[in-house]
């Protein structure tokens, strides 16, 4: 079990480094990365033609309202904020399993999976000030919402595993008795 915990710690440290790496790029590099991701997604969309579907338009509108309020932002900005959300969702998932393998307590896993990414997000925004970028409370909220989504995903997986184990035990008990 100690090996699993050490592996989870290594994954957690690695992913935290990835998050901070992307977060501390200067404004020009960050903009180029976002533009590159946007162009890749645009090429994929040219093949699959997803952006004209009703589902995609609804998701885009919901995310735009959540992350930008009443402002209509360019799609590249939505890609940037989606990257924030996704990076921190993974950080929330990794934090959850790290804490659970360490403590074997669900409450500890829930607390760590939100508080650790919130701390990293705050540090990330603070460090951006030294790289020619501004700090944004809105970005921290997007990051924390990504971590919360990751934590909820983990809770659903945890509950499904418990439910399957319960039904397997019940079935085995009925077959024996």
């Amino acid at each position: 079990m100690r090996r699993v915990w050490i592996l989870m710690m290594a994954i957690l440290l690695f992913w935290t480094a990835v998050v901070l790496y992307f977060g501390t790029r200067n404004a020009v590099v960050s903009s180029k990365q976002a533009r590159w991701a946007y162009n890749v997604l645009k090429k994929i969309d040219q093949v699959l033609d997803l952006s004209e579907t009703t589902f995609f338009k609804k998701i885009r509108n919901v995310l735009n309202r959540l992350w930008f309020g009443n402002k209509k932002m360019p799609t590249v900005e939505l890609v940037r904020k989606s990257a924030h959300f996704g990076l921190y969702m993974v950080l929330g998932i990794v934090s959850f399993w790290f804490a659970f393998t360490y403590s074997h307590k669900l409450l500890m896993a829930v607390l760590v999976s939100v508080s650790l990414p919130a701390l990293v997000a705050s540090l990330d925004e603070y460090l951006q000030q030294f790289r020619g970028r501004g700090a944004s409370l809105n970005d921290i909220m997007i990051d924390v919402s990504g971590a919360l989504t990751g934590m909820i995903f983990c809770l659903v997986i945890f509950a499904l595993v418990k439910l399957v184990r319960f039904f397997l035990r019940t079935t085995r008990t009925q077959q024996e008795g």
Side-chain angles (χ1 to χ4, degrees), residues 168-177:
L168 288 175
R169 259 183 284 157
T170 304
T171 304
R172 195 176 322 128
T173 304
Q174 289 175 349
Q175 288 174 349
E176 291 172 358

Side-chain angles (χ1 to χ4, degrees), residues 67-165:
W67 294 341
F68 304 114
N70 293 328
K71 294 185 226 171
K72 187 70 173 169
M73 299 300 279
T75 304
V76 71
E77 281 302 307
L78 191 61
V79 169
R80 287 177 84 117
K81 301 310 176 191
S82 296
H84 270 267
F85 184 88
L87 285 168
Y88 280 88
M89 184 175 79
V90 172
L91 186 58
I93 291 169
V94 172
S95 298
F96 180 93
W97 293 115
F98 163 76
F100 189 75
T101 57
Y102 178 75
S103 70
H104 301 289
K105 292 183 171 64
L106 192 59
L107 180 59
M108 180 65 75
V110 167
L111 292 173
V112 169
S113 67
V114 177
S115 60
L116 182 62
L119 178 67
V120 172
S122 300
L123 177 64
D124 186 23
E125 290 301 313
Y126 175 73
L127 292 174
Q128 285 179 12
Q129 296 178 72
F130 302 106
R131 303 294 292 162
R133 297 168 61 184
S136 168
L137 182 59
N138 189 48
D139 283 355
I140 293 173
M141 297 309 293
I142 292 169
D143 299 343
V144 171
S145 68
L148 278 168
T149 301
M151 183 262 302
I152 290 168
F153 175 78
C154 289
L155 286 174
V156 168
I157 296 299
F158 188 84
L160 287 174
V161 167
K162 288 285 187 184
L163 194 61
V164 167
R165 284 182 176 172

